[in-house]
Amino acid sequence: MTLAWAWSLLTPPERRVLALCSPFARPFNVDAVRELAGGGDSDASGVLDVVRSLRARGLLRTGDVPGLPDEPRLDMHPVTRHWLLEPHPVDEEMQERHDVRAIRVGRELAREAGGTTGAQDALRRLELETPGLEDALSHAIDASERERAGRPKADQARIDGQGLALHALLGLTPWLEANPPFARFLSL
């Protein structure tokens, strides 16, 4: 079975949901898919049915997260992801939706991690969301650099404070990943 053939057999909702999942470089939860698909509570079962169908077809897989038994994560094989992104690159609007979601979830989890009840679970979930936050930072830096490139030559060397902060935060990311307890001090 080729991926092109499998794609041709998908229904339009299955194609849409699979395309929505392609920007996730690492495992993600079904709530993220439901949110990005625009489905509220009334459409939750529809999105779940599509996810189940994609899992049955082998285009999405499920894995457990150690220490978080109630948090199964979905992902797709890297070859499938690459195949999807090659002819169907993520458009700016979709990438922005992914980035806004990652930042919102990161902020919520950072607040929870600063509390006393459930702080450890929040830190684990925040660690799982780190790739999405890294992507959001990287996209913000790229946008800042594109904006800067459009300025007159004399102004191009100047990096605004927001761009500088983004570069610094992205540089700190590996350290924060290696030292998760310090992530709670990061105000996203």
Side-chain angles (χ1 to χ4, degrees), residues 120-153:
Q120 287 297 330
D121 285 350
L123 276 175
R124 285 189 198 113
R125 287 184 184 94
L126 185 57
E127 187 176 354
L128 293 171
E129 296 295 332
T130 299
L133 291 167
E134 288 175 345
D135 284 349
L137 279 169
S138 180
H139 298 138
I141 289 169
D142 291 346
S144 175
E145 289 175 353
R146 282 193 306 273
E147 179 185 316
R148 190 178 57 150
R151 295 181 192 157
K153 269 287 196 216

Side-chain angles (χ1 to χ4, degrees), residues 144-145 147-148 151 155-167:
S144 175
E145 289 175 353
E147 179 185 316
R148 190 178 57 150
R151 295 181 192 157
D155 292 340
Q156 284 185 7
R158 181 178 60 84
I159 297 179
D160 61 4
Q162 183 180 18
L164 192 59
L166 291 172
H167 279 284

Side-chain angles (χ1 to χ4, degrees), residues 38-110:
D41 290 337
S42 61
D43 193 37
S45 64
V47 172
L48 290 176
D49 289 343
V50 171
V51 167
R52 282 187 200 103
S53 174
L54 292 170
R55 284 183 50 223
R57 293 174 184 260
L59 295 169
L60 288 179
R61 9 181 228 198
T62 305
D64 291 326
V65 178
L68 295 172
D70 297 331
E71 290 275 331
R73 293 280 169 155
L74 299 166
D75 76 342
M76 68 176 61
H77 192 280
V79 172
T80 304
R81 183 174 183 270
H82 177 75
W83 182 86
L84 278 168
L85 292 173
E86 195 66 33
H88 311 286
V90 179
D91 63 29
E92 286 184 33
E93 179 187 341
M94 175 58 63
Q95 192 60 63
E96 183 177 336
R97 287 172 62 194
H98 271 261
D99 293 347
V100 166
R101 184 209 159 272
I103 291 167
R104 182 186 51 72
V105 169
R107 283 182 169 169
E108 290 170 3
L109 291 171

